[in-house]
Amino acid sequence: MNEYDFLNLNDKEFEALSIDLIAKLKCQRIERFKPGKDDGVDGRYFATPNQEVVIQCKHWARSGLDALIRSLIKTEAAKVNKLAPSRYLFVTSLELSRQNKQRISNIFAPHIKSESDIFGKEDLNNLLSEYKEIEERHYKLWLSSTNILRIIVNAAVIGRSLFKVDEIKEFAPKYVMTKGYEQALDKLESMHAIIITGEPGIGKTTLADRLCLKYIIDGFQLCYIEDSITEAEKLFDKEKKQLFYFDDFLGRNYLLALGRHEDSHIINFIKRISKAKGKRFILTSRSAVLNQAKRLSDLFRVENVDKNEFEINIKELSGLEKANILYNHIWFSNLNDQYVDELYIDKRYKKIIRHKNYNPRLISFITDMHKIADINPKKYWDYIGNTLENPIEVWGQVFNNQLDDNSRILTCLVAFNGKNIREDKLKLSFINYAKRNLN
């Protein structure tokens, strides 16, 4: 049986898991309610038309039992007395002893009918071992599973692949399941190879990592490629289930990659993967780089590499998906409460979600406690507003280190134009700039 600590779940995810388990245990359809003040109700069902059963979930694994007990006495008991349900079920992610359950039962007397209506960490793990379909549905649980990690470690035979697995595992709690993931997974399953493209910071690597996690869990060996597709060819083993992952496969200098015939090697490897059982291939590239490579490579055009392409577009993220991304970053960022409170004043977080410059990398940046440690909490919202309007700190590294000189010049020409520019006009401007600098 796997033993989960539930630390990879945020409070809403823990609530959803708990409700799913109790619904299965009680064979009941349980109502849940929209986010906001819950007045002590995370879920409910009716044992009879007049007997309301209320469920409350408390994800206090990071705070500890003493803090939980204080909160129950100070705040929650009064809520439950006001509700006066016919029965009250209490769920927590903390370990509970027999004495702990007795104390919680006394706090909520007479609404808790039996100590078995109190579910602690051990109870939840027992239910998960019984209801495997719920365990599979809540994928973040896997990240702390001893058995799953053993599979990953045994599969990741290359040092950097093992390191990459650790990176994927570390970031995965912040990941939000979007419709884009399901679409990308369908393409990867049907074609065995996928090229994930999009603008910088849009989440290409995050999506690729999430796909990797799914296949690693399914027992695939991760082969993380850094320099050349030749590395993948050397590792190919027809007897093993293997996942090949080549992040930013054209790199900063696609001309160099094409000059060493990397395009033909990649096309041939994609063909090989598409015909092999138990093999998958994930590649990522910035859209601009891949489009330029397709213009320069006859093979990319002739072999119709577009059929393997999956482009991420920020416009395809729904408002709810953007909100969930922000919420997960806040929850797992270790932001002090003073900073978090600033986001909730007058529902300021909505301005972030609706901002024209919203971008997953930007969200990660403004919720990174290391980057804002020197900022007074009262100035935090001003910092967020300035960063959203002028994200120079976020994109400066990309501009200075991930673009070559010509790309930087083209970027400046487009930006200084201040609006859309035709390709022929941009080309002429670039030629004129080059002539001036040569003279």
Side-chain angles (χ1 to χ4, degrees):
M1 182 180 79
N2 293 322
E3 284 292 330
Y4 298 113
D5 58 18
F6 307 108
L7 290 175
N8 288 315
L9 307 182
N10 67 35
D11 56 340
K12 301 303 177 186
E13 292 162 342
F14 177 74
E15 177 186 312
L17 170 66
S18 301
I19 297 298
D20 283 351
L21 288 171
I22 292 177
K24 187 73 173 179
L25 176 66
K26 303 296 183 182
C27 298
Q28 291 281 351
R29 184 187 75 84
I30 296 178
E31 297 175 81
R32 295 183 65 202
F33 306 97
K34 68 179 183 180
K37 292 183 178 180
D38 57 27
D39 294 321
V41 181
D42 288 326
R44 73 169 182 184
Y45 67 92
F46 288 87
T48 69
N50 297 317
Q51 290 184 311
E52 181 186 37
V53 181
V54 168
I55 304 166
Q56 179 75 355
C57 307
K58 291 294 182 183
H59 188 20
W60 285 55
R62 298 180 188 275
S63 302
L65 184 63
D66 290 342
L68 173 64
I69 294 295
R70 288 194 298 270
S71 175
L72 299 185
I73 295 171
K74 183 178 179 180
T75 305
E76 300 301 325
K79 291 182 183 179
V80 178
N81 286 331
K82 185 178 179 180
L83 287 168
S86 63
R87 189 176 179 184
Y88 183 68
L89 307 183
F90 181 79
V91 187
T92 178
S93 51
L94 290 165
E95 294 180 336
L96 297 177
S97 67
R98 181 171 174 271
Q99 289 76 19
N100 297 150
K101 287 194 175 186
Q102 287 174 343
R103 188 173 184 187
I104 292 172
S105 179
N106 291 335
I107 292 171
F108 292 116
H111 310 294
I112 289 184
K113 304 303 181 184
S114 166
E115 290 173 21
S116 63
D117 287 345
I118 301 170
F119 298 83
K121 173 184 169 183
E122 297 83 0
D123 302 303
L124 296 178
N125 275 300
N126 287 337
L127 291 174
L128 283 167
S129 67
E130 186 174 349
Y131 305 129
K132 290 294 184 182
E133 69 276 19
I134 294 177
E135 182 181 33
E136 293 172 3
R137 191 184 311 155
H138 294 267
Y139 77 92
K140 286 188 180 180
L141 291 172
W142 309 338
L143 303 177
S144 58
S145 165
T146 304
N147 290 339
I148 293 300
L149 288 178
R150 188 177 297 115
I151 292 172
I152 293 174
V153 171
N154 289 341
V157 295
I158 303 171
R160 66 166 171 265
S161 298
L162 181 57
F163 181 75
K164 183 61 182 175
V165 168
D166 289 338
E167 282 190 332
I168 292 172
K169 174 178 172 286
E170 181 179 357
F171 183 82
K174 295 182 181 178
Y175 190 83
V176 171
M177 194 72 76
T178 65
K179 62 182 179 182
Y181 167 77
E182 296 295 341
Q183 294 166 352
L185 180 59
D186 288 344
K187 173 163 280 196
L188 184 53
E189 277 293 282
S190 63
M191 306 198 73
H192 289 195
I194 187 173
I195 303 173
I196 301 172
T197 68
E199 300 172 357
I202 195 67
K204 300 181 294 296
T205 299
T206 301
L207 175 57
D209 286 355
R210 176 62 190 91
L211 290 169
C212 283
L213 182 61
K214 188 268 181 199
Y215 284 98
I216 291 169
I217 297 298
D218 289 344
F220 279 68
Q221 177 194 59
L222 176 64
C223 301
Y224 184 58
I225 310 305
E226 277 192 340
D227 298 319
S228 169
I229 200 66
T230 303
E231 296 176 0
E233 292 168 340
K234 290 178 179 178
L235 291 168
F236 191 97
D237 186 338
K238 64 180 181 180
E239 301 300 326
K240 293 181 179 179
K241 293 166 66 176
Q242 290 178 300
L243 169 66
F244 298 92
Y245 179 17
F246 202 167
D247 195 20
D248 195 17
F249 75 101
L250 289 170
R252 299 177 193 170
N253 194 338
Y254 51 86
L255 292 175
L256 179 61
L258 298 179
R260 62 175 186 245
H261 306 295
E262 191 74 2
D263 53 346
S264 63
H265 292 165
I266 287 171
I267 290 296
N268 289 334
F269 197 71
I270 288 176
K271 287 181 179 179
R272 188 179 182 185
I273 291 290
S274 66
K275 296 177 181 178
K277 292 182 178 181
K279 297 287 187 289
R280 299 292 185 272
F281 190 18
I282 299 173
L283 308 95
T284 70
S285 174
R286 282 163 284 156
S287 294
V289 171
L290 181 61
N291 289 337
Q292 184 67 4
K294 286 189 288 188
R295 284 194 287 269
L296 295 174
S297 169
D298 290 334
L299 268 176
F300 279 172
R301 289 196 303 273
V302 171
E303 297 295 340
N304 190 23
V305 75
D306 290 355
K307 67 182 182 298
N308 295 96
E309 190 174 344
F310 181 84
E311 184 168 14
I312 306 175
N313 192 320
I314 195 67
K315 294 178 181 178
E316 294 177 359
L317 283 177
S318 69
L320 180 59
E321 288 171 339
K322 289 181 179 179
N324 285 333
I325 290 170
L326 175 60
Y327 187 86
N328 263 8
H329 275 79
I330 293 171
W331 179 270
F332 291 105
S333 66
N334 294 319
L335 281 175
N336 294 339
D337 291 343
Q338 292 173 297
Y339 292 94
V340 176
D341 290 343
E342 290 294 309
L343 298 175
Y344 284 93
I345 295 174
D346 298 327
K347 299 182 178 179
R348 286 169 167 173
Y349 54 84
K350 289 186 176 180
K351 294 181 180 179
I352 301 175
I353 296 164
R354 296 168 180 167
H355 199 279
K356 63 181 180 180
N357 290 332
Y358 182 100
N359 180 285
R361 183 176 294 178
L362 187 56
I363 297 304
S364 179
F365 191 90
I366 63 176
T367 56
D368 188 336
M369 194 63 204
H370 297 292
K371 290 184 172 63
I372 65 171
D374 296 330
I375 298 173
N376 186 295
K378 295 299 181 184
K379 299 290 185 181
Y380 182 44
W381 181 248
D382 291 336
Y383 166 80
I384 290 175
N386 293 334
T387 304
L388 287 170
E389 289 297 324
N390 185 23
I392 186 170
E393 289 187 68
V394 181
W395 300 117
Q397 191 271 342
V398 176
F399 182 83
N400 293 321
N401 300 320
Q402 294 186 15
L403 299 180
D404 56 29
D405 290 340
N406 289 336
S407 298
R408 281 193 287 270
I409 293 167
L410 288 170
T411 301
C412 290
L413 290 172
V414 172
F416 294 155
N417 191 60
K419 56 184 179 181
N420 292 341
I421 184 171
R422 297 197 316 271
E423 185 175 345
D424 58 340
K425 186 177 179 181
L426 178 61
K427 182 178 180 180
L428 181 61
S429 299
F430 181 81
I431 291 173
N432 290 335
Y433 176 89
K435 285 180 179 178
R436 288 185 180 183
N437 278 273
L438 286 174
N439 295 332

